[in-house]
Amino acid sequence: MVGPIPRKTIYAATVIVILALVGGWTIAAGSTTVTGPSQHSSVTVTAPAGFTTAVVQSTPMLTVSDALVTGVFGPAGIQAGPGNGITSAFQNALLGGCGVDTNCNFSAVDSTFGLTQGDTALQVTLSVTQPATTAVGFDVQVEVVYTYNVSTGPTYVASTPQFVFGTGYFDTGAGVLGTIPVALYVDFGVAATTGPSATDVVITMNACQSATVCP
């Protein structure tokens, strides 16, 4: 018989501090909003004051399919290597190539796990404004605290809280004023059959110094 899975309550402010320490990233100065519950999780979005380039639309969990693995445009930007936090030393992913009002799907970079069929992943859907003239660069880092089912003989219990990180570095492109839907996928690194449950999601967005390089 499968017993109930206890859920651990973690306050968003505490999670932000823990994730910052573990991930080595900097909390953006500016507005912070906390929403929830959403799939039994709190969702915290932080962005600099006046940042309007991107807005978080939704944060559903899903099972990674083969179509998703082969359908993403690739990693969301290029950076020098692991451990760079939300700093990209190289090229941001160009959104203008997707076209206005056309979905752009990217897998997170600077993540422990790549997209693997059968895993659970978080889909962070953004609404990005493409300017008519000058392209804008921005980055997004997603941190997730989650648990999954661990077998203890005839029953299952929740694992200790796990952490996963993923980053996207984007270039809005320019030329046609409009909105581009962007999906950034962060793989949890565990199979969907283990019943992962996100308890806290922290999304941090920052403006880049140029359209092609962050910060």
Side-chain angles (χ1 to χ4, degrees):
M1 179 177 179
V2 177
I5 301 173
R7 297 194 181 276
K8 189 178 183 69
T9 300
I10 305 176
Y11 291 101
T14 302
V15 172
I16 291 174
V17 174
I18 292 174
L19 291 172
L21 292 174
V22 173
W25 52 275
T26 303
I27 299 173
S31 60
T32 298
T33 59
V34 181
T35 62
S38 173
Q39 296 182 334
H40 305 290
S41 63
S42 69
V43 180
T44 303
V45 179
T46 300
F51 180 85
T52 59
T53 302
V55 178
V56 177
Q57 295 291 304
S58 62
T59 56
M61 294 192 310
L62 48 78
T63 300
V64 178
S65 65
D66 178 66
L68 177 60
V69 173
T70 58
V72 296
F73 289 150
I78 303 170
Q79 59 180 7
N84 288 316
I86 52 175
T87 299
S88 171
F90 290 88
Q91 184 177 0
N92 295 357
L94 178 62
L95 300 181
C98 304
V100 174
D101 298 323
T102 303
N103 287 330
C104 277
N105 300 319
F106 293 92
S107 59
V109 297
D110 199 24
S111 176
T112 304
F113 313 103
L115 281 178
T116 301
Q117 184 176 355
D119 279 3
T120 289
L122 186 76
Q123 174 187 283
V124 178
T125 304
L126 306 172
S127 177
V128 179
T129 299
Q130 176 175 270
T133 54
T134 305
V136 176
F138 70 100
D139 57 43
V140 179
Q141 182 156 4
V142 182
E143 298 81 33
V144 183
V145 180
Y146 69 95
T147 60
Y148 62 95
N149 294 340
V150 178
S151 175
T152 59
T155 62
Y156 291 87
V157 298
S159 68
T160 57
Q162 308 292 306
F163 301 88
V164 65
F165 302 85
T167 311
Y169 309 101
F170 298 109
D171 173 350
T172 63
V176 177
L177 179 63
T179 301
I180 302 175
V182 177
L184 179 65
Y185 296 92
V186 182
D187 195 304
F188 285 15
V190 294
T193 52
T194 63
S197 176
T199 56
D200 294 272
V201 177
V202 178
I203 301 171
T204 305
M205 298 188 288
N206 284 289
C208 299
Q209 291 181 349
S210 72
T212 57
V213 178
C214 280

